Amino acid sequence: MNKLLKNSLRFVLFLLVQTLILNQIEIGFGIQLMIYPLFIMLLSFDTGVLSLLAISFTLGICIDAFSNTFGLHTSSLLVFSFLRPVIFKLFDSREGYDLLLEPTVLNMGNGWFIKSFGSLLLIHHFWFYLLEMFKLNDMGYVLQKTVYSLPLSFFLCVLLQYLFVNKQYTK
Amino acid sequence: MRNFIAFIKHFRNVLIFALLQGIALSLYFTFVQFPRTQYLTTAASIQGSILEARNGITKHFNLSKNNVRLQKENIELLEELPKSFIKLEGKLVKIDDTLHRQQYEYIPGIIINSTHSKRENYFTLNIGSSQGIKRGMGVFSTNGIVGVIHNTSEHYAVIKTCLTKKLNTSIMLEKTGQQGFLEWDGVNARKGSMTGVSNDLKIKKWAKVVTRGGGGIFPRGLPVGKISRVEVVEGESLWDLTMIFAEDFRKVQNVYIIKNLLLDEQRDIEKQTDYEDQE
């Protein structure tokens, strides 16, 4: 399928699922399920930082417009996409990446995905809750929210990939 | 100059990141104070219509509960109608009342989108400026106050609810009349706090908290909550009061928006005293 078409379809799906379904789920303990960072994660390895930033700004603004957060999601998603190449470089294997692949859990294996996506999502969540609270007194509460939400969001992201994304094979 | 261009090229990514981040953060911090445009909130027509379509499905989940609630309210109102009273004296007639003049009008609305677990929670309403909704109008439901209109478009509006850091509404204890302000700590959607109450008078547990009606947004005496815990603020002569909200914001769907018919008159006369103070 055409790459652009596939990604725009994904963009709309992520936006709708996040805003219409996941934003309405109340688990308690301040847990919020956030899967939209997965969209940025799934863009193929050859996507440059600038296009990553532009895409994440657009997606973030759209999500903010639907959930009345005025730029909170945008800011944390920008951090996510800015650090994506840095983290990828950090966990690079000796051969380097196949640039045409998408960094899904199926393509790259569980260990790599947990390391890279896990740390990126941790930074994203921490930044999000830190900005939302914006008070150093509430650091405990920020950490609590991060620690509770992170595993659930992560698990949901992995589950979605096993359900909907196929493994890519390269020549 | 060449050095400068080289510098820009070298740090291009960082600069673009900082620029976009700056836009996002400035949006975030200014919007909480004052919304300049409705396009980035759920008051905008695209977001509003999508959320309304979703609400078309999910509203039925609480249908029976809401029916019971509205029925209860109807019964209360019916009981106040003249026809539910027996005439004890045949000669009494109802005459046109000139002692009272209507001050508040109520516009019904339905909440089509809501959040409760964020630090600042906003609800979206299915009516907007074409139905007479303006920024700063109060919103309440059968059980108690919900919030204040923050932002409107033609057909939708966004409510700043009690579940935000500070809804600048003055509230008071019903019996003793001590005033305070409504605040929310962002943890529990059922519990808020009342600040600025001096601790010279004792406060009973489960004392009712109602609106003070000073700002012309809410009428006096709308229920807000009940005091559930009383503690002293250390080093200050103030009470730290925790209250349980009268309204469960996680369930509320049908609300009323308050239109104060005498608001302009009140604002005008308050403005005059401000001028006198300055002179």
Side-chain angles (χ1 to χ4, degrees):
Chain A
M1 209 198 298
N2 188 353
K3 205 168 147 192
L4 183 71
L5 187 72
K6 184 170 83 175
N7 277 326
S8 354
L9 202 69
R10 253 189 209 162
F11 184 96
V12 176
L13 280 178
F14 268 101
L15 177 64
L16 292 182
V17 169
Q18 177 67 44
T19 51
L20 298 187
I21 301 174
L22 293 181
N23 278 0
Q24 307 302 320
I25 297 178
E26 302 276 330
I27 305 176
F29 309 107
I31 294 176
Q32 289 177 48
L33 296 171
M34 292 186 266
I35 58 155
Y36 60 89
L38 186 64
F39 175 77
I40 302 295
M41 183 70 186
L42 291 188
L43 295 171
S44 58
F45 279 109
D46 57 353
T47 322
V49 188
L50 287 185
S51 30
L52 276 180
L53 285 175
I55 294 166
S56 58
F57 189 76
T58 324
L59 179 62
I61 284 284
C62 289
I63 287 175
D64 278 325
F66 270 99
S67 43
N68 287 329
T69 36
F70 327 117
L72 199 55
H73 289 292
T74 315
S75 168
S76 24
L77 199 57
L78 281 172
V79 173
F80 183 94
S81 59
F82 184 69
L83 290 179
R84 194 185 97 140
V86 181
I87 297 281
F88 278 10
K89 210 175 229 174
L90 198 68
F91 295 122
D92 197 357
S93 60
R94 206 167 296 155
E95 311 86 80
Y97 297 111
D98 185 342
L99 286 179
L100 291 175
L101 275 183
E102 287 177 346
T104 61
V105 66
L106 297 157
N107 289 340
M108 305 303 299
N110 283 330
W112 182 87
F113 193 79
I114 290 175
K115 269 191 293 186
S116 52
F117 186 62
S119 45
L120 280 170
L121 203 64
L122 173 70
I123 296 166
H124 170 273
H125 274 47
F126 182 69
W127 182 269
F128 180 86
Y129 289 121
L130 193 67
L131 265 186
E132 191 184 29
M133 288 294 160
F134 208 66
K135 229 183 184 182
L136 287 178
N137 297 5
D138 290 338
M139 208 54 181
Y141 195 52
V142 171
L143 289 176
Q144 181 204 323
K145 275 185 146 182
T146 313
V147 168
Y148 285 174
S149 308
L150 187 66
L152 285 171
S153 298
F154 188 85
F155 177 72
L156 201 61
C157 289
V158 172
L159 191 72
L160 281 176
Q161 290 178 64
Y162 274 111
L163 288 177
F164 297 114
V165 183
N166 293 328
K167 191 173 162 115
Q168 286 175 318
Y169 296 98
T170 47
K171 314 120 237 173
Chain B
M1 192 61 201
R2 200 184 297 156
N3 281 341
F4 182 66
I5 292 172
F7 173 81
I8 298 260
K9 262 188 187 163
H10 195 235
F11 287 101
R12 192 182 52 182
N13 293 344
V14 182
L15 287 175
I16 297 275
F17 171 71
L19 178 76
L20 292 177
Q21 190 65 257
I23 295 173
L25 288 181
S26 63
L27 276 180
Y28 176 57
F29 286 111
T30 52
F31 255 83
V32 174
Q33 302 299 325
F34 194 90
R36 275 178 302 188
T37 159
Q38 26 128 330
Y39 297 109
L40 290 176
T41 65
T42 49
S45 56
I46 302 172
Q47 289 96 301
S49 49
I50 292 177
L51 289 173
E52 196 165 27
R54 201 217 47 223
N55 187 55
I57 302 165
T58 55
K59 71 182 173 194
H60 300 296
F61 296 167
N62 291 326
L63 203 59
S64 53
K65 258 182 212 160
N66 278 320
N67 272 342
V68 170
R69 225 163 104 165
L70 293 176
Q71 212 168 13
K72 216 188 252 172
E73 196 185 343
N74 264 341
I75 290 169
E76 276 171 23
L77 294 174
L78 273 178
E79 281 169 354
E80 288 182 12
L81 281 180
K83 68 177 173 194
S84 48
F85 291 92
I86 304 175
K87 255 185 199 171
L88 291 179
E89 250 181 283
K91 283 172 193 168
L92 287 178
V93 284
K94 192 171 180 276
I95 50 165
D96 194 14
D97 191 355
T98 50
L99 270 181
H100 296 89
R101 198 187 136 187
Q102 186 172 18
Q103 189 184 358
Y104 297 103
E105 271 182 0
Y106 304 104
I107 307 164
I110 294 172
I111 289 171
I112 55 170
N113 183 45
S114 59
T115 60
H116 327 92
S117 53
K118 296 204 168 85
R119 183 67 189 88
E120 306 270 328
N121 295 290
Y122 296 84
F123 293 175
T124 313
L125 210 58
N126 70 337
I127 50 176
S129 55
S130 61
Q131 280 90 347
I133 310 295
K134 279 182 198 150
R135 179 177 155 84
M137 284 180 168
V139 181
F140 73 102
S141 72
T142 321
N143 293 342
I145 67 163
V146 173
V148 175
I149 301 285
H150 189 57
N151 194 1
T152 60
S153 71
E154 203 179 342
H155 299 295
Y156 300 99
V158 171
I159 311 170
K160 188 175 183 180
T161 61
C162 297
L163 304 181
T164 45
K165 224 171 266 180
K166 213 172 195 177
L167 187 72
N168 268 331
T169 301
S170 56
I171 51 179
M172 65 175 191
L173 292 160
E174 196 181 32
K175 282 256 172 68
T176 52
Q178 283 158 288
Q179 298 166 13
F181 282 97
L182 183 59
E183 275 181 31
W184 188 57
D185 60 356
V187 182
N188 190 336
R190 294 293 287 130
K191 283 178 182 170
S193 56
M194 184 176 174
T195 55
V197 183
S198 68
N199 66 1
D200 49 351
L201 277 173
K202 270 195 179 169
I203 286 169
K204 269 186 197 159
K205 213 177 168 186
W206 307 121
K208 267 191 186 171
V209 182
V210 295
T211 52
R212 211 185 118 232
I217 293 172
F218 292 106
R220 196 184 182 91
L222 276 181
V224 178
K226 278 177 181 170
I227 300 292
S228 66
R229 210 187 53 183
V230 182
E231 276 177 11
V232 185
V233 180
E234 254 175 67
E236 280 181 82
S237 58
L238 294 171
W239 287 119
D240 177 18
L241 300 170
T242 310
M243 67 175 163
I244 292 180
F245 286 125
E247 178 58 72
D248 188 345
F249 298 107
R250 292 168 299 189
K251 290 178 186 159
V252 62
Q253 280 190 340
N254 297 291
V255 292
Y256 303 97
I257 295 91
I258 303 164
K259 189 178 179 187
N260 187 350
L261 301 173
L262 303 181
L263 187 64
D264 290 340
E265 200 176 321
Q266 184 183 345
R267 292 274 150 86
D268 276 351
I269 204 156
E270 278 170 1
K271 222 184 256 171
Q272 282 176 24
T273 53
D274 281 350
Y275 283 133
E276 280 163 24
D277 285 346
Q278 282 168 9
E279 279 164 13

